[in-house]
Amino acid sequence: MDTITHTLFGVGIYQSVNKEKMNKKQKYALLITSIGASQIPDIDVISQLWDTTGQYQMWHRGITHSIFLAPLWALFFYIINRLVFKTKGIQSYFIALLAVFIHNTSDVFNAWGTGYLEPFSSVRLTFGTVPIVDLVIWFIFLLTFIGSKLYPKVKTHVLFRIGWVLIVLHIAIQSIQGSILYKNYKTDYQDLALSASFVPWHFTVLAKMTIQLILLMIRF
């Protein structure tokens, strides 16, 4: 996913937590943890600083996006919470763990491969059922934010949790549609790759037949 979407994921996690018993410092620590952990796997972008051969795109979404590294990223933010913000309890660890998990897993649904199982597997996982910039996810977060302003009597964290349910439902529907398309064309071609369009329920299918590469634009 793009940086904006990952930031929205972080804000969405922050807003989904009931903060009624938190003081200002605890809320600030939660915000930093939610957004920071939602972005930390993309720290591999610094490889651009020394990349002189155009290998950055191959390094991106590698080991930093491994699901096995998620506990270490979470521990990093837990330590920051304890040392910098002096917060107690283990909530910050699980919030960071959730944020990293959402980042890494959501990237798997894009067309660009993700080293989800590194270092135990070099395979780049990709489903291609959700676009890198998913306007539906943006729209759901926007509606949730507007709803929290229009209906102040409804607790904000409840509305954002509903928003998360809608996002999961959206990704599930897209993935089911993509899976059906993939199965329909898999038997006819040697190699097949799926890429979701920015327009919901639209997909591009890259198909290979021996020496021919066929591009299929498909609307579900």
Side-chain angles (χ1 to χ4, degrees), residues 38-93:
S38 292
Q39 298 286 352
I40 195 66
D42 281 341
I43 197 172
D44 55 12
V45 298
I46 64 173
S47 63
Q48 295 180 88
L49 298 177
W50 60 79
D51 176 22
T52 59
T53 60
Q55 294 297 310
Y56 157 71
Q57 290 296 342
M58 296 301 298
W59 296 332
H60 184 46
R61 291 194 182 185
I63 187 65
T64 61
H65 285 66
S66 172
I67 193 63
F68 300 110
L69 199 63
L72 295 180
W73 287 132
L75 180 61
F76 170 71
F77 281 96
Y78 171 74
I79 293 174
I80 289 178
N81 272 263
R82 293 300 298 265
L83 297 181
V84 178
F85 299 107
K86 310 298 181 182
T87 59
K88 298 180 180 180
I90 200 170
Q91 184 189 44
S92 60
Y93 177 84

Side-chain angles (χ1 to χ4, degrees), residues 19 61 117 120 136 157 172 180 183 192 207:
K19 298 178 286 296
R61 291 194 182 185
L117 302 177
F120 302 102
V136 174
H157 69 273
I180 293 174
K183 290 179 180 179
L192 202 66

Side-chain angles (χ1 to χ4, degrees), residues 144-211:
T144 306
F145 174 76
I146 293 175
S148 66
K149 300 301 179 182
L150 293 179
Y151 304 99
K153 292 184 179 181
V154 181
K155 296 183 182 299
T156 299
H157 69 273
V158 173
L159 289 175
F160 272 86
R161 289 177 185 180
I162 294 174
W164 277 112
V165 171
L166 294 177
I167 289 172
V168 171
L169 183 61
H170 158 64
I171 294 176
I173 292 174
Q174 283 265 131
S175 297
I176 291 173
Q177 292 172 336
S179 176
I180 293 174
L181 286 175
Y182 187 89
K183 290 179 180 179
N184 287 343
Y185 288 93
K186 185 177 181 180
T187 56
D188 298 327
Y189 300 98
Q190 180 182 356
D191 293 306
L192 202 66
L194 195 68
S195 178
S197 168
F198 295 119
V199 181
W201 315 305
H202 287 64
F203 299 86
T204 297
V205 177
L206 291 171
K208 181 181 180 182
M209 290 182 61
T210 312
I211 59 173

